[in-house]
């Protein structure tokens, strides 16, 4: 156990008791210890206490920094008896046995500071030089140690007039106001923003050249409430805020990301998961334009709550988080739509054209795969994958399985580790797959029955439906693939026989045989509709039909020529008989 004394601020004189482990200090309520000082960042300092009582500190990317002996420090060991300054808040690490002394003197020190402030203020009201001087002496006496420690390095440390303040007091030289991101929405500090190639900061503006660009704030922040309100002055471009969150210390893995509406349309409100300990902000910019004066303010509000057999569900607009006791299972980032409860899952209803990105993790991936439904069987999610006209997505496996079905097929592609789609039709996210499993079993039976009856057409239709829409059972999927491949091999063999027979019929000019082969080729094309066999069989049938017509026309021409020769011979030998035959014709 170590003890830290607060030397300034509203909690001056208090003692913080820290056990072995990691602790965070800052303004946000999610910290281990809250410091209600405006110049302290939401998550300002991390302290790690070792088993032997050693203490290490690390600045968490605070706005006004962490200072020791007049120098700004990022991390290191904090030695007993020394002080750290967080904005206007001064902390001292007490040595062993100093806690009692500090506690006894806390009230006296606090009283000295109080009387010093009162004396200084009364001197302004009365205008008395004696009182003024007394106030100065008391202030110097009460704060002399701190002045010696910090004042001699004031050329490197920001003075009080430059510290960020919510009400503007002591901030006359700065236009920045305190919000959830400590005023970085003024876009004056280029070092804290990571920009894509087409984005840049210029004179307090974030500019986007064209196309799609992004800007990410490198500092995380905490929330005292469950929601954010964001607004900015936007010109030209469309700007969408992306809020990521996580647990534990800064730098730990991002759990999920949610997206807010277009800042160009006005203020955006976004409720966020309440069990997160830190958040990050990024901006997605579409088109050419700029924004300035971005404000991010904590607000009241929580996501809508649903329950499922897989775990709890948080929903905010088009955004969704499904998690269990071990962590997140499915994160959906989206806009222009909302999720509502259904008997077997959830329904997404777009507002115009909804855009969503699905990311699966944790137990859901451990239980199975992340598959995009497609013709010929599901496709695994991987960089570069694009599936046109997909009916949905399959997540997980076994008891932990989800099926996303689209009312109208859509293009689904890989994006940043997830599956991205846009739709103007409703979608169903189902965790009750009893009906789907029944349909898969029915199709499997149909495949076996068609094979037994020699009906390759029905076999291929049933297999295609199972592989595209209901690939829920790996054994049934493999069986459908095997039997459909065998059916295709039979079809290709039949086509090869027809091609050989067609060649012979054309060679000898057998018109009637070509006509019969053309009918067989048309039947083969119908039985293998939607496969590579269909266009080949259709082309063969067309060629045979042309050949049969040409053969028939050749026979008619030959017969006419024979009659003409015969009639000429008869005319010369038997003129009367020839005349009679001509009249008869």
């Amino acid at each position: 156990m170590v003890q830290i004394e607060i030397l300034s601020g509203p909690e001056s004189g208090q003692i913080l008791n820290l056990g072995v482990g990691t602790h965070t200090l800052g303004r946000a309520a999610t910290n281990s210890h809250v410091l209600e000082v405006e110049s302290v960042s939401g998550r300002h300092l991390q302290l790690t206490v070792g088993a032997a009582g050693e203490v290490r500190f690390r600045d968490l990317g605070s706005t006004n920094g962490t200072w020791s002996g007049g120098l700004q420090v990022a991390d290191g060991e904090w030695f007993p008896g020394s002080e750290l300054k967080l904005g206007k808040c001064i902390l001292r690490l007490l040595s062993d046995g100093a806690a009692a002394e500090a506690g006894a003197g806390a009230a006296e020190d606090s009283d000295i500071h109080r009387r010093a402030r009162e004396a200084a203020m009364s001197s302004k009201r009365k205008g008395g030089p004696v009182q003024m001087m007394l106030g100065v002496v008391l202030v110097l006496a009460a704060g002399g140690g701190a002045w010696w420690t910090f004042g001699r390095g004031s050329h490197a440390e920001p003075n009080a007039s430059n510290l960020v303040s919510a009400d503007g007091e002591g901030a006359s030289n700065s236009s920045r106001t305190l919000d959830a991101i400590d005023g970085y929405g003024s876009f004056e500090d280029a070092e804290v923003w990571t920009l894509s190639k087409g984005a840049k900061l210029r004179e307090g503006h974030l500019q986007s050249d064209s196309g799609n660009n992004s800007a990410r704030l490198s500092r995380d922040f905490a929330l005292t409430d469950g929601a954010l309100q964001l607004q900015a002055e936007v010109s030209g471009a469309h700007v969408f805020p992306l809020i990521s969150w996580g647990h534990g210390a800064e730098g730990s893995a991002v759990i999920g990301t949610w997206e807010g509406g277009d800042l160009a349309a006005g203020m955006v409100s976004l409720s966020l998961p309440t069990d997160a300990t830190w958040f990050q902000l990024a901006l997605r910019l579409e088109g050419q334009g700029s924004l300035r004066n971005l404000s991010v303010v904590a607000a009241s509000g929580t996501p809508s709550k649903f329950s499922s057999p897989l775990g709890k569900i948080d929903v905010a607009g088009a955004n969704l988080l499904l998690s269990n006791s071990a962590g997140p299972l499915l994160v959906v980032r989206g806009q222009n739509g909302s999720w509502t409860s259904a008997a077997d899952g959830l329904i997404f209803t777009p507002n115009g054209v909804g855009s969503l990105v699905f990311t699966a993790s944790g137990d859901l991936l451990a239980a199975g795969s992340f598959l995009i439904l497609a013709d010929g069987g599901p496709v695994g999610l991987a960089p570069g994958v694009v599936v046109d006209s997909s009916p949905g997505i399959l997540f997980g496996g076994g008891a932990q399985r989800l099926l996303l079905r689209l009312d109208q097929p859509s293009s689904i592609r890989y994006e940043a580790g997830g599956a991205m789609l846009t739709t103007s039709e409703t979608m169903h996210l189902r965790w009750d797959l009893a009906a789907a499993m029944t349909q898969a079993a029915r199709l499997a039976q149909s495949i076996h029955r068609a094979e037994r009856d020699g009906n390759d057409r029905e076999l291929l239709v049933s297999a295609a439906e199972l592989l595209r829409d209901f690939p829920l059972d790996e054994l049934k999927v493999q069986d459908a693939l095997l039997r459909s491949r065998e059916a295709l091999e039979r079809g290709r063999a039949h086509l090869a026989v027809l091609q050989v027979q067609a060649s012979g019929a054309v060679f000898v000019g057998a018109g009637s045989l070509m006509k019969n082969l053309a009918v067989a080729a048309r039947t083969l094309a119908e039985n293998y509709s939607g496969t590579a066999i269909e266009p080949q069989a259709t082309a063969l049938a067309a060629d045979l039909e042309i050949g049969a017509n040409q053969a028939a026309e050749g026979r008619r021409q030959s017969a006419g020529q024979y009659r003409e020769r015969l009639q000429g011979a008869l005319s010369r030998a038997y003129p009367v008989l020839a005349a009679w035959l001509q009249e008869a014709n």
Side-chain angles (χ1 to χ4, degrees), residues 3-22:
Q3 295 180 314
I4 298 172
E5 182 182 6
I6 302 177
L7 300 180
S8 62
E11 299 167 327
S12 177
Q14 289 190 19
I15 303 296
L16 303 180
N17 296 304
L18 277 62
V20 174
T22 302

Side-chain angles (χ1 to χ4, degrees), residues 4-15 92 94 98-114 117 142:
I4 298 172
E5 182 182 6
I6 302 177
L7 300 180
S8 62
E11 299 167 327
S12 177
Q14 289 190 19
I15 303 296
R92 177 192 295 150
L94 299 180
E101 180 181 350
E108 180 181 354
D109 290 344
S110 178
D111 186 61
I112 292 175
H113 282 278
R114 178 185 58 78
R117 290 193 298 269

